[in-house]
């Protein structure tokens, strides 16, 4: 999806069943371990997205044979821990699930490699992982700013150290990558965590995946991990990738907010993914949930609205973003705590989320590791808004849920390709937008009168689209903006405060029904209508009238 923006109408219903794409986190773990294993592994239900393509491309550069099979499956021919290509340049985009584990594996396996990514990847910290790897003899150089990618990796020096210490409070991907690399050393190695370990369910996912490839890691609480001597990865033959629990959160939230029920298929009560516990958060807010081994279903509360909660989100850092949007519809404030890791993701998600929620009318307090979100004051509805996505897939997907309360424009919607390339198609298939009745006809045919009467009879909102350019011209004159100043007139059009009530039109609260029909304003309307930026601004402003009765 390479379009600049996508306009979402307000949604009035959501129901049905959604089959989830494969988990991104599991997909890249499975691909890497299949490559490191002895034997061939058939990987089924793999997520095909930007991040997994980064991993697949990297494995091919490293000399791993990757064969595409029917029905989206892949066969990975394992190299038993020794990559055929002992040098190469790997471009890994903004895929943390590829960059961090490959850094660890290549630093231990040996060879000369350069690892790069997009600009944002070069702003995401990796210093704690590099420091831990250097304790084991890794030779890694920073090619830019100290502590951040890009990296140059050289063959490791001989090092007998069997204990490595690693900070646990920045990113769980550091520990996951380190653990996946340690079997390549051949000797017993212990990892001690310094401080608290965040995002523990993602580490548990790593341990379960390593176990499926024949490596058992001993865990002492969440502060000490031991990889035994002689550990070797062995292919399990066939691996099925679970549906993505983080992506499930968007559709479960829809079911809880808008009609329902909505069922997600591919992840359920037996999931190994931590984000499956997003369902527990919905229950705490009052939603109705049912589940089976391979599915979860959500519906609104049996009585009353959802209510705000205060939640430690350490166990669901990605799915917690969805809760930020659900909070817009809850009664009372919602506080998301222990989310400091948001600041080192694809963007600074705490700052970005606070900014976009405020556009919608929410009251937001942001701290180093928390967000407190209250819906608009006084029971007012959400405001139509243009949502920026910050090159972050989860910003686009989580904030799309605000369409339950208002029309939206999502800038750069193609960012969803990182995990769910067809997300917006799936969203449209599961939802019902506010219906529209268009009344058209020749000039002076009475179409406006008919449309106003139909809207009044049905209790629907009414828009006289033909009057918008006149209203823009009048608003520009009131603001002292020249009618041929495209940029300034477009800003006026985007902020147009207009109401239609039968034959009456108000601009900023004033009745302008007669004023917009003057000869001067009629001529000015032709001038502003010829400006492309004004037409674009009024297109969204017009679509913003598509509100639920």
């Amino acid at each position: 999806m390479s379009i600049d923006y996508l306009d979402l109408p307000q949604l009035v219903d959501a129901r049905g069943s959604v089959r989830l794409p494969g988990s991104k986190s599991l997909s890249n773990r499975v691909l890497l371990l299949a490559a490191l294993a002895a034997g061939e592994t058939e990987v089924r239900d793999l997520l095909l997205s930007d991040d997994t393509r980064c991993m697949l491309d990297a494995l091919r550069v490293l000399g791993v044979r990757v064969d595409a099979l029917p029905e989206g499956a892949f066969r990975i021919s394992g190299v038993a821990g020794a990559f055929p290509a002992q040098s190469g340049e790997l471009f890994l985009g903004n895929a943390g699930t590829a960059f961090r584990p490959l850094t660890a594996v290549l630093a231990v396996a040996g060879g000369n490699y350069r690892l790069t990514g997009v600009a944002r990847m070069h702003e995401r910290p990796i210093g704690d992982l590099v420091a831990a790897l250097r304790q084991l003899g890794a030779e890694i150089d920073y090619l830019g700013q100290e502590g951040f990618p890009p990296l140059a990796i050289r063959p490791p020096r001989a090092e007998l150290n069997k204990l490595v210490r690693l900070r646990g409070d920045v990113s769980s991907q550091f520990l996951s990558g380190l653990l996946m690399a340690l079997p390549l050393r051949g000797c017993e190695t212990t990892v001690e965590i310094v401080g608290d370990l965040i995002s523990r369910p993602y580490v548990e996912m790593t341990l379960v995946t390593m176990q499926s490839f024949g490596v058992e890691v001993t865990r002492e609480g969440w502060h000490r991990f031991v990889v035994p001597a002689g550990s070797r990865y062995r292919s399990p033959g066939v691996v099925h990738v679970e549906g993505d629990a983080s992506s499930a959160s968007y559709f479960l939230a829809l079911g809880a907010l808008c009609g329902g029920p909505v069922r997600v298929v591919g992840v359920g009560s037996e999931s190994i993914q931590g984000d499956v516990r997003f369902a527990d958060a919905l229950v705490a807010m009052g939603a109705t949930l049912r589940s089976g081994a391979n599915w979860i279903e959500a519906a609104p509360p049996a009585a009353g609205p959802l209510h705000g909660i205060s939640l430690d989100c350490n166990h669901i850092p990605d799915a917690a973003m969805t809760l930020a949007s659900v909070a817009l519809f809850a009664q009372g404030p919602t506080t998301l705590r222990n989310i400091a890791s948001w600041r080192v993701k694809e963007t600074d998600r705490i700052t970005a989320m606070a900014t976009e929620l405020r556009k919608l009318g929410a009251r937001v307090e942001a701290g180093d590791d928390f967000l407190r979100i209250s819906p608009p004051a006084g029971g007012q509805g959400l405001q139509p808004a243009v949502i920026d996505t910050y090159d972050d897939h989860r910003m686009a997907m989580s904030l799309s849920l605000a369409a339950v309360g208002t029309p939206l424009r999502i800038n750069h919607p193609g960012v969803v390709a990182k995990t769910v390339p067809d997300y917006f198609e799936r969203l449209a298939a599961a939802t019902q937008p506010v219906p529209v009745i268009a009344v058209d006809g020749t000039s002076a045919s009475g179409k406006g009168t008919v449309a106003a009467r139909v809207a009044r009879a049905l209790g629907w909102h009414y828009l006289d689209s033909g009057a918008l350019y006149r209203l823009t011209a009048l608003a520009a004159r009131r603001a002292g903006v020249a009618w041929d100043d495209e940029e300034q007139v477009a800003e006026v059009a985007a902020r147009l405060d207009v109401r239609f009530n039968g034959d009456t039109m108000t601009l900023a609260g004033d009745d302008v029904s007669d004023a917009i029909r003057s000869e001067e304003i009629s001529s000015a309307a032709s001038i502003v209508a010829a400006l492309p930026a004004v037409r674009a601004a009024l297109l969204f402003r017009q679509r913003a009238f598509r509100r639920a009765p």
Side-chain angles (χ1 to χ4, degrees), residues 67 74 96 137 227 234 246 283 303 330 355 418 493 513 528:
D67 297 310
F74 287 84
V227 176
R234 301 182 302 277
S246 302
V283 170
T355 299
K418 184 176 175 69
S513 306
V528 301

Side-chain angles (χ1 to χ4, degrees), residues 31-55:
L31 287 174
L32 181 55
L33 296 190
L36 293 173
E40 293 183 344
T41 304
E42 182 176 330
V43 183
R44 299 178 183 174
D45 303 317
L46 183 77
L47 172 67
L48 292 179
S49 70
D50 288 352
D51 279 17
T52 54
R53 288 188 180 93
C54 284
M55 179 64 85

Side-chain angles (χ1 to χ4, degrees), residues 265-549:
V265 180
V267 66
S269 57
E270 298 180 0
S271 172
I272 66 171
Q273 299 172 72
D275 273 352
V276 74
R277 293 172 61 187
F278 172 81
D280 298 335
L282 284 182
V283 170
M285 299 181 82
T288 303
L289 268 290
R290 300 172 57 234
S291 66
N294 194 45
W295 59 271
I296 309 173
E297 184 176 275
L306 296 170
H307 53 81
I309 58 173
S310 179
L311 184 68
D312 183 332
C313 297
N314 180 58
H315 60 297
I316 54 168
D318 287 340
M321 295 184 70
T322 310
L323 288 178
S325 288
V326 174
L328 295 169
F329 304 93
Q331 191 172 69
T334 293
T335 302
L336 308 178
R337 296 179 282 107
N338 208 355
I339 55 171
S341 64
W342 281 22
R343 294 197 182 276
V344 295
K345 297 286 188 176
E346 283 78 350
T347 189
D348 177 347
R349 288 175 171 173
I350 291 180
T351 299
M353 184 62 76
T355 299
E356 301 309 307
L357 292 175
R358 289 179 182 129
K359 289 182 183 179
L360 293 159
R363 296 162 291 161
V364 184
E365 180 184 353
D368 290 340
D369 66 348
F370 76 91
L371 278 179
R372 183 172 294 110
I373 305 151
S374 298
Q380 297 178 357
L382 300 183
Q383 302 168 3
V386 178
I387 300 298
D388 291 314
T389 52
Y390 304 82
D391 200 26
D392 187 334
H393 56 132
R394 300 209 185 280
M395 288 293 295
M397 292 186 285
S398 58
L399 284 163
S400 71
L401 301 177
V404 172
T406 184
L408 299 174
R409 172 165 288 179
I410 306 289
N411 283 336
H412 306 296
V415 297
V416 300
K418 184 176 175 69
T419 41
V420 192
D422 61 346
Y423 170 76
F424 287 107
E425 289 82 359
R426 291 170 180 263
L427 179 70
T431 57
Q432 178 66 46
V434 170
V436 173
I437 297 176
V439 179
D440 203 357
T442 58
S443 179
S445 63
K447 56 184 178 293
T449 301
V450 171
R453 289 179 178 177
V454 170
R456 189 180 305 114
L458 295 175
W460 288 16
H461 295 287
Y462 165 67
L463 165 67
D464 182 349
S465 59
L468 288 179
Y469 288 106
R470 294 170 179 263
L471 289 160
T472 298
L474 179 58
R477 188 182 70 177
R478 288 183 168 187
V481 174
W483 288 319
D484 60 354
D485 186 335
E486 182 173 1
E487 182 178 354
Q488 292 297 312
V489 176
E491 289 187 13
V492 169
R495 299 193 307 268
L496 205 60
D497 179 10
V498 60
R499 300 288 186 274
F500 296 93
N501 184 15
D503 295 330
T504 302
M505 303 177 200
T506 62
L507 180 64
D510 298 332
D511 187 343
V512 295
S513 306
D514 294 328
I516 66 167
R517 292 186 172 89
S518 70
E519 184 174 343
E520 178 192 24
I521 295 301
S522 294
S523 298
S526 298
I527 297 173
V528 301
L531 304 175
V534 174
R535 293 199 301 271
L538 282 181
L539 175 62
F540 178 62
R541 189 69 192 87
Q542 177 175 323
R543 289 173 174 171
F545 278 90
R546 189 176 179 179
R547 306 292 295 267

